[in-house]
Amino acid sequence: MNNWIRPLAVGVLAAVAGIAAAQQQDFSKVEIKVTKVAGNVYLLEGAGGNIAASVGDDGIVIVDDQFAPLADKIRAALKGITTKPLRFIINTHYHFDHTGGNLPFHDATIIAHDNVRKRLAQNNVLGNGGSMKMEQPANPPEALPVITFQHDVTLHVNGEDIRALHAPSGHTDGDSIVFFPKSYVLHTGDDFVRYGFPFIDIGGGGSSKGMIAALEGAMAQLPADVKVIPGHGALSTLTDVRDFVKMLKDTRAAVEKEVKAGKTLQQMQQAKVLAPWQKYSGPFVSTDLFIETLYNELTGTKTAGLVKHN
Ligand SMILES: [Zn+2]
């Protein structure tokens, strides 16, 4: 999720507003910025989640596809890199700002974790288990991934073994982190973002615990100079990921301590228990909303049921 949905994330705004706002967003002024990252991997930035593109003799593989109204612009941006066809799409998770292009791009083979397909096929209420809440309605069958996996999948194209590895219960319950081993590039999906405190989709099976585990697992396996494409925000390094993980662990521990002391959510917000991390408070996820997210996770508060994990 990106910060354009911020107005829906505060106060008592109704869940039904989410998709209406997405449909009303004006994409006409959005431009797709293309940056060469390393090896044969490019970064495409427009609106919604960052897109990684592997380009080579075998064609194009993209990771995530933003919004349907941007499909022509994304196509044009890819044409500026190569005349080869788009062959594969990997969805890092089910959120509509990462999968909206599935329908217009459905001639390509769409690949994702099992739970991404399940969630794209059903109506979802995504949110932080409390006041952040949005509806994402079911997608038509043509927009669904046709290849799904439980643990990991490898695409042997463009001279490298592109690996999508499922990380359980992080940003959602269907996240994948994608590694391009020859190009030394990682796409983290929304397990790692640069807009401040992260949105964690508790309603969609997410948890800070899983995000921490996913990122620590990735960091342990990767060379220090790997280039990191976050779900949202600027191209990053492993040091940026490490700082983000430290913030997640420290804030989680701070809220957990208060939960154990029997404090209510309101008391924690009034006491500003996350004041030391105020610089992460963003227009999308404020400090109070992040306290609420962690509180809901740690106390088992949820507004929507999980898709059963395989
Ligand atoms: Zn997301």
Side-chain angles (χ1 to χ4, degrees):
M1 304 302 306
N2 201 353
N3 47 12
W4 57 266
I5 57 164
R6 177 179 88 86
L8 310 171
V10 292
V12 291
L13 280 161
V16 289
I19 295 308
Q23 285 162 350
Q24 284 159 15
Q25 188 182 4
D26 179 12
F27 292 101
S28 65
K29 303 233 162 40
V30 175
E31 286 176 26
I32 307 294
K33 184 183 155 205
V34 178
T35 309
K36 180 156 186 179
V37 179
N40 55 13
V41 178
Y42 293 77
L43 164 63
L44 275 67
E45 296 167 275
N50 284 328
I51 296 175
S54 161
V55 171
D57 290 344
D58 299 323
I60 305 171
V61 182
I62 60 172
V63 178
D64 289 345
D65 53 28
Q66 300 191 349
F67 296 99
L70 294 174
D72 286 344
K73 290 181 183 180
I74 293 166
R75 232 178 239 124
L78 292 171
K79 279 230 162 64
I81 309 171
T82 178
T83 54
K84 297 278 183 180
L86 173 60
R87 290 187 56 202
F88 300 99
I89 297 171
I90 301 170
N91 293 148
T92 59
H93 61 292
Y94 77 98
H95 288 157
F96 53 89
D97 54 333
H98 297 256
T99 56
N102 280 13
L103 189 57
F105 289 128
H106 80 268
D107 284 349
T109 301
I110 303 174
I111 304 166
H113 182 261
D114 298 335
N115 287 345
V116 174
R117 183 180 161 94
K118 283 181 197 165
R119 289 199 175 275
L120 285 174
Q122 71 182 27
N123 295 316
N124 297 275
V125 178
L126 47 139
N128 75 339
S131 60
M132 295 177 82
K133 208 187 274 187
M134 284 145 275
E135 282 187 348
Q136 178 175 327
N139 279 258
E142 308 91 280
L144 304 181
V146 295
I147 296 177
T148 65
F149 59 91
Q150 187 178 354
H151 182 263
D152 66 287
V153 70
T154 305
L155 279 71
H156 306 275
V157 291
N158 296 336
E160 65 184 333
D161 305 319
I162 303 167
R163 183 160 179 250
L165 175 65
H166 172 55
S169 191
H171 175 61
T172 70
D173 64 5
D175 303 306
S176 291
I177 287 182
V178 183
F179 184 44
F180 303 85
K182 206 167 157 190
S183 301
Y184 273 21
V185 178
L186 185 73
H187 189 307
T188 62
D190 281 2
D191 274 336
F192 170 60
V193 294
R194 300 304 303 270
Y195 55 68
F197 288 129
F199 169 58
I200 303 173
D201 185 358
I202 307 280
S207 70
S208 64
K209 191 178 178 194
M211 286 174 85
I212 292 164
L215 295 171
E216 285 194 323
M219 284 192 296
Q221 295 175 48
L222 294 171
D225 56 347
V226 70
K227 300 262 193 320
V228 180
I229 298 175
H232 297 271
L235 193 61
S236 302
T237 64
L238 270 197
T239 305
D240 299 320
V241 176
R242 196 166 295 122
D243 291 348
F244 181 80
V245 169
K246 183 168 179 356
M247 176 276 289
L248 285 180
K249 286 173 115 168
D250 291 349
T251 52
R252 189 177 199 279
V255 171
E256 191 168 30
K257 190 174 144 220
E258 302 297 325
V259 168
K260 281 185 178 150
K263 297 283 169 53
T264 66
L265 171 60
Q266 257 184 348
Q267 285 170 331
M268 289 183 210
Q269 288 171 334
Q270 273 161 11
K272 301 193 186 307
V273 296
L274 295 190
W277 299 274
Q278 188 58 29
K279 70 169 183 179
Y280 287 95
S281 186
F284 179 27
V285 182
S286 67
T287 305
D288 277 354
L289 281 174
F290 197 58
I291 294 173
E292 187 194 329
T293 303
L294 293 171
Y295 177 88
N296 290 341
E297 176 187 335
L298 290 161
T299 58
T301 308
K302 287 188 191 81
T303 52
L306 305 186
V307 168
K308 191 179 166 293
H309 192 270
N310 289 307

